Amino acid sequence: MEFDLAWLLLGLPLVFMFGWAASRMDLRQLRRQNRDAPKAYFKGLNYLLNEQQDQAIDAFIEAVQNDPDTSELHFALGNLFRRRGEYDRAVRVHEHLLSRGDLSSTDRDRAQHALALDYLKAGLLDRAEDALARLEGTAFEGEARLARLAIFERSRDWAQAAEVARKMHAAGQGDFSARQAHYLCEQAFAERAAGHTEAAIALLEQALRAAPQAARPHIELARLAHQTGDEARALDLLRALAAKAPSALPLAAALLTEIARSGGREAQVLALLSAHYAQAPSLDVLDAIVALGQTSPDAALPGTNDSRMWYLRHLEIEPSLVAAAKWLAGERLEHEAFHPQVQAALDAAARPLMRYRCAACGFEARQHFWHCPGCQAWDSYPAQRVEEL
């Protein structure tokens, strides 16, 4: 059977026409999709501006379906899921981004950071720490280190926290010397609790070298020296504290009282406390002076050799309900029968004034904290009581 060239000549135009029609249909479909994707995207933005997150998520899902290769839509959708607390869906979105081979290195780092935030918000700290560690050497390195530092603090992994803080300090991301000293003090506390006194002393000495101006290493090392019977070393450390961080000396006032009584150093301790009180009157320092039986500064006058006269002198400097209540406790009143009721009322009123208050969040506590249990800030508690602020 012979092939008729006429059919070939007739078929070529038909093939061309069908191809042209198909391409026009593909172009129209592509244009329609490109129009639909921005519409859905802007619709989602409009819902976000109106704080309608459910509708915004639906709009972004529609946009992703119309344009699955756009990474920005995935980022927007993942962030929305995280804000709504749907962490599993946020993780799936960001993991999908990371699995794509066509993703740029910048977007890959961004997706890794977003995935770490998903784990953090979900409370999956081990996965978050692993995801954050992969951001070393990227544009998100600084943020990742701060987040890892917070994770190690929450888990009380002080050795890892100290290592991250050292890296941040060396990289010029801030002065983390005081934070490193706190971490070393925390490790020393654990060693001391385990009975490893020498290891605790070594850690505290290291903390003192890391932050020579920090108050906590001086106080903790002095307390340990006192417990081991080295009163001279303890007193030298607290003298150094008075010189380098005088505002923190009230925190060591009770310890100084113990050192004076056990080591026969009353005169030296009283000289240190009196000099500090003359420069910065403090209730804790005042209590230590009175506890050591220091006579009143007006002792040359008849009838003023009672150490409690220091409380009256303090009232001349500044009004203090705490000082007034402590002075009154040792007095005999005209109507002594009513003294217990009056004293109980004054003590109850003065008790809240003896608390410490965090300068960052306002959390109050009966004891001083180096690390606020409320807001997790370091060194946010002043050494002064609430009444003195």
Side-chain angles (χ1 to χ4, degrees), residues 15-144:
V15 171
F16 174 77
M17 289 178 63
F18 284 129
W20 178 82
S23 66
R24 294 294 295 175
M25 291 177 64
D26 289 342
L27 284 173
R28 282 197 298 270
Q29 184 177 1
L30 181 61
R31 288 171 184 165
R32 188 181 306 112
Q33 289 177 350
N34 289 336
R35 285 195 304 269
D36 291 343
K39 284 181 180 178
Y41 184 75
F42 289 123
K43 191 196 312 183
L45 289 178
N46 184 54
Y47 284 133
L48 274 182
L49 292 175
N50 292 320
E51 298 183 358
Q52 297 174 283
Q53 294 187 7
D54 290 335
Q55 292 87 337
I57 286 175
D58 293 337
F60 282 131
I61 290 176
E62 179 186 348
V64 168
Q65 290 173 345
N66 291 331
D67 191 5
D69 295 329
T70 304
S71 59
E72 289 298 329
L73 292 175
H74 287 79
F75 282 121
L77 192 58
N79 292 338
L80 266 177
F81 284 142
R82 189 194 312 127
R83 286 175 58 185
R84 283 184 51 81
E86 300 181 49
Y87 304 121
D88 54 339
R89 301 179 74 180
V91 166
R92 286 201 298 270
V93 169
H94 294 131
E95 284 182 340
H96 171 71
L97 276 171
L98 287 170
S99 67
R100 284 173 49 177
D102 61 338
L103 204 63
S104 67
S105 60
T106 301
D107 282 345
R108 186 170 298 279
D109 294 340
R110 185 179 168 191
Q112 184 68 40
H113 180 247
L115 181 63
L117 293 181
D118 296 338
Y119 289 139
L120 271 178
K121 292 292 186 179
L124 302 173
L125 300 185
D126 53 343
R127 296 187 183 183
E129 199 279 321
D130 180 64
L132 290 166
R134 298 182 184 182
L135 292 170
E136 287 287 323
T138 70
F140 297 95
E141 181 181 71
E143 297 176 45

Side-chain angles (χ1 to χ4, degrees), residues 38 42 46 82 111 116 123 214 223 257-258 283 305 312 340 369:
F42 289 123
N46 184 54
R82 189 194 312 127
R223 180 174 286 110
T257 304
E258 295 177 14
L283 290 171
N305 58 353
L312 290 181
F369 286 102

Side-chain angles (χ1 to χ4, degrees), residues 136-218:
E136 287 287 323
T138 70
F140 297 95
E141 181 181 71
E143 297 176 45
R145 285 177 174 174
L146 277 174
R148 291 180 69 201
L149 200 62
I151 290 174
F152 293 139
E153 287 182 358
R154 286 176 63 182
S155 59
R156 303 185 68 81
D157 190 344
W158 305 117
Q160 290 273 36
E163 178 62 20
V164 174
R166 185 192 60 77
K167 288 181 180 179
M168 296 179 74
H169 187 84
Q173 292 180 239
D175 185 359
F176 286 85
S177 56
R179 192 79 71 90
Q180 291 181 71
H182 279 302
Y183 298 151
L184 290 166
C185 288
E186 293 287 348
Q187 294 178 70
F189 180 81
E191 293 290 349
R192 187 175 61 185
H196 305 148
T197 305
E198 291 184 2
I201 291 175
L203 287 166
L204 290 172
E205 293 281 4
Q206 186 180 345
L208 201 59
R209 291 191 298 270
Q213 305 297 324
R216 188 179 183 183
H218 286 86

